[in-house]
Structure formats: structure tokens, C-alpha cells
Amino acid sequence: MFTTRTVRTVALIMFLGALLLEAGCAGTAGNSGGGGQTTAPAAPTGLAATPGNAQVLLTWAATANATGYTVKRSTTTGGPYTAIASQPTTSFTDTPLTNGTKYSYVVSASNSAGASPNSAEVSATPTLAPPAVPTGLAATAGNAQVTLTWNAATGATSYHVKRSTISGTETQIAAPTSNSFTDASVTNGTKYFYVVSAVNSAAESANSNEVSATPAATPTAPAAPTGLQGTAGNAKVTLTWNASTGATSYHLKRSTTSGAETQIAAPASNSFTDTAVTNGTKYFYEVSAVNSTGESANSNEINATPTAPAAAPSAPTGLQGAAGNAQVVLTWTASTGATSYHVKRSTTSGTETQISAPTSTSFTDTTVTNGTKYFYVVSAVNANGESANSNEVSATPTAPATAPATPTGLQATGGNAQISLTWNASTGATSYNVKRSTTSGGPFSTTLASPTASNYVDTTVTNGTAYFYVVSAVNAAGESANSSQVTATPVAATADVTITINPTQTKPISPYIYGINFYSGVTGAPPQLTFDRAGGNRWTAYNWETNASNAGSDYLYENDDYLSSSTVPAEAVRVFIAGDQSSGLASLMTVQLQGLVSADESGPVSVTSPPDLSRFKTVVDQKSTVSSAPFTITPPTTDANVYMDEFVWALDQKFSGQGIFGANPAHPTFVSLDNEPELWNSTHLEIQGPNPVTSDAYIAKTITMTEALKTQFPNMIIFGPVHYGFQGIYNWQGELSATPTGNNWFPDKYLTAISAASATFGKPLVDVYDFHWYAEEYDSDGTRSLDLTSTTLTAAQVQLIVQSPRNLWDPTFNDTLTNSNPWIYQELGNTPINLLGRLQSKINSEFPGMKISMTEYESGGWNHIAGTIAQADNLGIFGAQGVFAANFWPPNGTYSYALAGFRVFRDFDGAGANFGDTSLQSASSNVANVVVYASSDTTAPGRIVFVAINRSTSSQVTAITGQSLTGTAQLYQITAASAQNQTQVAPVSIGTMPVIGSTLTLTLPALSVTTIEVN
């Protein structure tokens, strides 16, 4: 072992040896023999100094011809230097040194010819190295202490022990010099966290691993239980005692002899029921408390003798309840042994509580409210207990019924072989008795009819005869007095309007015109609708892989899970289609044509410099163009693309075997090419940016997308371009230089391009020309008809609404008489709008066979009979003009009157009767006042259904001619009066009339819709 003294001695010897060697060399330098060096070596190079703890390591490059090196040191930069070592090698460790002192070094090389000059100087300052991080820290909890141990750290002179009750926030509590420490300043039950660092004069190490420990008191056996009590029962003894602190369980002990108890159970709680006993035997009990440390002494001893109890009475039978006025009388059969009874009551079945305790077998409950249903049970009671409850009965007390009030406001209007009666509804009436006489004052002994509505049409009259009428109101309590008498005389009046039916000119009526948007969310949706749509702005950026979507300008351009919170791919659409299938509806889903879809559900997206591609994924129409991976219903969500052909394929898989995109599914699913593309740069600024999509780019997108979809499903029905309104149709929102009568509208460009691409592809790529139509009608104050939500409208506002559907088809109509801002009429060179006619003409010449749809439309008048008339007119137009599909867009607020327009055509009798499936050509002599839509039914030959609309403010005698009729006409009608008291506005039956021949004449009330079914 070398000591410091040894190193110094060796260094001194080497130094003296070097001096002698130099002296010897110098003394023999003049000799010419002996093979010595003739030239001293060059100065060493590459000298480097590395400081350490009380030492410096020197290294340098070997010098040619050198046989030795002398190391020289100084504490002053530049010397003078003192030789401290001579050696043949090129490294040297100078030790011991004083930490913190700067040392300067040079080295010279030597051989037999002499010594070199000194090398370049280097300097170094030795320092003490910090100790290593302690390892292996372990903590052992004890009673009010924690013992810590760890592995000794190299170089450490002491340690810092650090503690906290929160992980990661430890502070120093001790500085031991050994590698263990016992922390006695702790509280039992508190969890402590520890780390340790090593320390020397140089520095402190990083913290060790963290450990934790919770000191706890040394466990002791629990105290003996106290308060043991026993209650004898029927073949059982129930035992209870006070819980013992620290006990985890108990040993229950029993015997039939006092003091000889042995364990029979080990309950965890402080009670036990001993059922292994015999009635009449006396038992002795003790209990002890137990935990992991041991068992306590026994408790006090108690005894109990189980006995069989006397029997409680049996449950009462035959309970009956009779409701009266503010009371319910209860009776039941007596129970043997009962001394009293508990009568129990509730307004909810099965939750009765006691209200009385009579001693007899009857009870009258007078604490009840008329009209509320009450439920009752009865139990029997004696000293030994209470029976189970009897059977349950219910009763609803009611006030004595009274007959309804006498009807008021009776009016009679004579028509051709008919008289129409109307009156004010009577409170409490369930029906009415209509009575007639040909003598003023009666007698009115015979009831002519008993309608439930407050109107009736008497068609059993003779023209020219005066008839007198009274009406009484009826309910279960009786009949009111007769109303005041009215009179009318039917006459063969000259028709105000003649409707000419041409039964040889027919068109099939598409079943899909009776559609709506968001069917499942429409409260009070009309029955027997046929078509549902999931579309609108929300679907443009829908990502089917995750169900994320973007609200666009509707709400903060926000990415979220609004359409579905599910992570199952396409679940938002699957649920929509499945709901439609179960409701018997066809579906229209949306595919994403714009090109970007939501990549997350993380809230608002910046539109400062759109699009922010970190928030969206790219739509690829055909997966095989960028990936060789097969289709999957669980696509990866971490890649950059979302595939449209895979989207529809996945949906088809989810409805396996139904062929939802096939040729003849029971309830087909049609596909819409996105939504309102002309507005993407405003409605979806977050993905489109400020520049609109050009018509050329849009058409190119359409062709690429439809080819991908039709390659996958050749029979798929595709809707496009889904215009937002007139400007999109006319000039693509101002891009095109369209002229009113020119072939330079957007449809001309679109139809020509799609026709050519379809011919190349071998199949129509777009099947239905789709647009949206929100009536552009404004009253004298500039209020749009869609915003006229009041229940009261002016005559001008009514006509604004009821005439507006004529813009769709009437080549003679212009809206300048009603519309304060007829801008579409003006843009078309002051010519009728006739939108369906114009579009059909372009389709016939440019892409024959394409169908037309309107997947969003509104006319207004949501809470007024005008709204019913406009909606009924829309549906009649769709059928008469051969529209393929249509979806009403539900407005905000209430709109029962508009929905009633559907009920005129669908389930108009409340028993499933519908308008026919074939349209018969119909022409009106005065379209402004009356229009009639006519239909026949391929499933019921001879059945004819008319929908007659009177949009004028006066009654109209209307003659329907040209269609051979025979049988009975059932009449169902909606007027302002009939709708006034309805929660859901719907047609009411107004009677029947015999029909024969080819003319049917009837009087249509002002502002009314009448459905006439002839069988």
C-alpha cells in the first residue's frame, strides 16, 4: 500500500535520479562512442490538466527520442517551477494537493543528449467532488416512530434526512453522519414521505428515492364487550351488545348451563340472532371481542328462553272501495282474531301508509280531493301483531256531474244541396245533438246528427226549402237546453270557382314528398310521414370515424360531440337510420363533400387564418386511391384521412342484409352531397376559408365523389347540389353571369357536366336535383313571412303567406301585389318565378330523367290557419308537379298549424286514410282563391281523394267537374274556428254527402282546407 509519504519519497528519488542522469550525460557529452543521442528532444506537446479531489491528473503527447520527462509545478502562473517528478511515461497524478489552490504545470522531455525546453503551461484547481446520491432508502413504521436505512454514499461525510406529509414536498429534519435514522417526531396514523441526500464539504447530492410509512400504535387485544342483552322470540334469541374499541369480530358463546358457555358464532357486528334454539329451553350467553392481537375476557352473562308467539290475525279479504263526492267508502271481510284494522292509502300504487285504525270492517275516507285517484289496502291487528296487507283497491272521488252549457253562436250557411252549421264549443261537452225542422220553432224532437266537433254540414236537404236548426250540448251527465234557432235555405248557387279534373292526365305521387327534417326531435310529428333527413350545416364537417363535428357559424365554429358522444364509428348516422327504419321512414344522410372534417372535439376553432389543419382531417372520396388497406367498420383514428366510400360501406355493414343503398329496400337510405356549398365560406369559414368554392371546383368534387360512391353501390340514390336558395340556383351566389331566360344558370352548367360524366361512367352520378326554398315574402313593414309567428295576422299578411307557394309552379303568378320586396321576381326580369317549371325544363333538355327535391322549405304562418293553408298547398304542389322528395324544416317555437298541413293528406280521418298515390291533373278557374288537388289510388280502384284549399277571406261555392264519382263523400275540414281549441291542429269530420256523376259542388268556408274522400 502506498501512503502519501511513500509517494513523496519516490518522487524525490526520481527527481534526484534525473539530476544525476543529466549530470552524467553532460559529463560524457564529449565522448564520441557509446551509441548515445546526439540531439535533445523537442518540448512536449498536448499537456492537459484534469483536477480532482486533492489531486491533478496530467497527460501529454509522447515526444520523439525522449527517454524521460520532468514534471514541474508552481502556484504562480508563469513560474518559477519546481520539478516534482521525473518518469518515462506520459501521464502523472500530482497528489496530495490543497483543494481550492490553483496549480500551474509544465513538462520537459530528456534523453542522453539533454533536456528539452518546457512545454506550454497548463493550470488546474483541485476540488472536492460531491458525494453520490444515496440508494436503497427503506422505511419501517413503528409505534410513534419511523426507522430509515440506506446504502452509504461514496464521498459523503453526512446526510440530510427530509420529510413531508405530502409526496414530493419533503424538507430537512435531521443530518446524521451514519446511513440510518429513527424519526421519533411522528404521529401515529399519519402517513409520512421521506427522501435522503448525501453531503460533504463540496456539495449536497440529489435526493434519493422517495419512501413512505405510517406509524401506528402497537395493537392490543380489545376490551371485553359490555351491555349484552338478549330478546327471546319464536325459535330465536336476538342478542345485542356495545361495540368494543379495536374489535374486528366477536365470539358468541352459549350454554344451557350458567358458566359453561362455548362458542357458537363469530359475528363481525355487535348483534346476532341465534336461530338454533328450541322454544321453551333456557339459554345462557356471553360474548368476547377479538382482533389480530387476541381475544378479550367474556362479557356479562345473560339468559333468554325462546317461545312460540300467539298468532297475529290473517290478512283481511274482500276489500272494496266506492268513490263518492269528496269521499271514498271502504268495506272488507272481518279477519278472525282481529281487534282493529289499519287502513292505508296512497296516490301511487304499492306505497300506501296508515291513515286510520278503525275497529269495524268499514271506513269512509273524507280527506280526499275530487279527481285524484287513491289506492288503499287494509291490515288486521291484535295484541300479537299485524297481518299482511289485503288486496289493493283504487277509487277516484268525483263531484256530481252536470250537463254542459247550452251552445251559443249557432250560424247556418246555405249552399248547393247543403247547409253548413257552426257554433261555439260548450265547456264540458263531449258531443252535440243537431236538430232540424222545416217549421220555425220546431218541434225539434228528432236528432239529425251527433258530431263531436262544433260544426256540421247537413247534406240531406232540398234546394229551395227553408230549414230551421237548434243544437244542444251533451256529456255523461246529460244534455243542455237547445240553442237559439237559426235558419237557412239551400240553393243551387252559381259556382264561384270551377275546378276541372282531367283523369286522363296523371302522374305518380312520390311517397317521399311527405318528409321532415329531424323527425325524432319533432314534438307532435304528424302520423304516417315517409321521409326523414339528417342534414344542415352541422353535417358538413362530420367525421364518421369519431362522430366529431363542427358547428360552423351557428356556434363559435366549434368542434364537439354534439351529434353523438359515442366513440363507435358512424354511430350518429346509424342511430338516425335505425330510428327511421323502426318508424317506417326512408332516410337521407349526408356525406362530406367540402373536403375537411373535425379531427377533435376540443371546442372553438380559430378562424384567423383558416383552415387550422391541426384541427381537421382530409376527406378522401375513394380509399383505394391512397391506401391498400381493406375497408373496416373500425378505422384507425390516428391517420390523416377519412374515407367516404368506406363510410357508406360501413353503414351498409351495420344494416347487413337490408340493402339500404340497394335497388328496392323497404325503407331506402338516400345520400345527400353535403349542404349549401355556395355558403361554405361563411357558414364554414373554419374549413373553407374566406374564398367561396367555385362552380367548376364544386362540379369536379361532385363527379369524383359520386364515382367513388356509385362504384361501391351502383343503385344508390344521390341528391345534389343542395342549394341554399335562389341565388345559388341562379348564378352560384354571384359567380355566373346568368340571365332570366338564358341557358346560363348554374343548373345548365351542372346538368351538362353531370350528364357527360354520367355517360362516361355508365350510370347517372346524381339522381336528384336538390335545393332549399325559404319563402322570400315580406309584409309592408319588411317582416319576412317566416317571422310572422303571431296567432293574429292582418289580411295582407295572410295573403302574403297563402299565395307564396304559387311561386313554385304558377307561370301566371307574380307576388308584387303581396310582397313588399319581390326581389326574385325583379331579378328574373319581372317575370313569374315558376321555379319548378324552369328547373324541369332545363332537366328535360340537359339531363332527362333527373328528379327534383326540396330538402328544406318553409312558408311561415306557424300559429295561424294561413300556415296550414300554405303547407297543404306545398304538399299538393309537390304531388301535382312530380317532385321526388321534400323535407319540411321545423322552425323554432310552436308550429302546430303548419304540421296540420300534413294531416290534411296523411291520416286525415284519424284512422289511417291518406291522399291517393296518383295525381290527377286539376285546373282552377280562380287559382288566387281556390285550388283543388285530386288523386286516385292504385290500391283501391274507384277511390278518389280531393284536397280543396280556399285561401280567400270569403266562402267559395266550388264546383269540381270532370271526374266520374259515385258513392259517398266523407268530408274533413280545418278552419280557423275548428283549430282554435285543438292542442294539435287536425281535420275534423263535418259529415257526408252522396255523390254521383261528374260534378261535385260544395261551399268551402273562408280560409279553409277540406279533404274529400269518395268511396
Side-chain angles (χ1 to χ4, degrees), residues 405-417:
T406 301
T408 60
L410 179 62
Q411 293 182 336
T413 303
N416 180 27

Side-chain angles (χ1 to χ4, degrees), residues 956-980:
Q956 299 286 302
V957 177
T958 302
I960 303 173
T961 66
Q963 172 65 49
S964 177
L965 302 170
T966 182
T968 301
Q970 304 278 344
L971 282 71
Y972 305 89
Q973 196 169 80
I974 301 178
T975 65
S978 72
Q980 188 171 13

Side-chain angles (χ1 to χ4, degrees), residues 175-251:
T177 56
S178 65
N179 58 329
S180 65
F181 174 73
T182 297
D183 182 7
S185 61
V186 292
T187 302
N188 284 339
T190 299
K191 186 175 184 179
Y192 295 91
F193 297 86
Y194 295 90
V195 293
V196 176
S197 62
V199 183
N200 63 18
S201 59
E204 179 181 2
S205 73
N207 290 332
S208 68
N209 58 298
E210 183 184 69
V211 296
S212 63
T214 304
T218 303
T220 60
T226 60
L228 177 62
Q229 294 182 334
T231 302
N234 178 25
K236 66 180 180 180
V237 174
T238 300
L239 301 155
T240 61
W241 56 92
N242 299 325
S244 294
T245 302
T248 56
S249 65
Y250 299 89
H251 285 176

Side-chain angles (χ1 to χ4, degrees), residues 769-800:
Y769 197 101
D770 185 32
F771 66 95
H772 298 163
W773 190 252
Y774 292 87
E776 293 281 355
E777 304 291 321
Y778 301 85
D779 70 7
S780 58
D781 293 328
T783 302
R784 195 173 181 181
S785 62
L786 308 183
D787 299 323
L788 295 175
T789 60
S790 175
T791 57
T792 57
L793 301 176
T794 67
Q797 289 171 331
V798 169
Q799 290 305 305
L800 182 75

Side-chain angles (χ1 to χ4, degrees), residues 895-920:
Y895 48 96
S896 178
Y897 277 86
L899 293 180
F902 285 96
R903 293 186 169 92
V904 169
F905 287 84
R906 309 293 291 176
D907 193 37
F908 52 77
D909 65 347
N914 297 323
F915 197 64
D917 58 16
T918 303
S919 174
L920 309 179

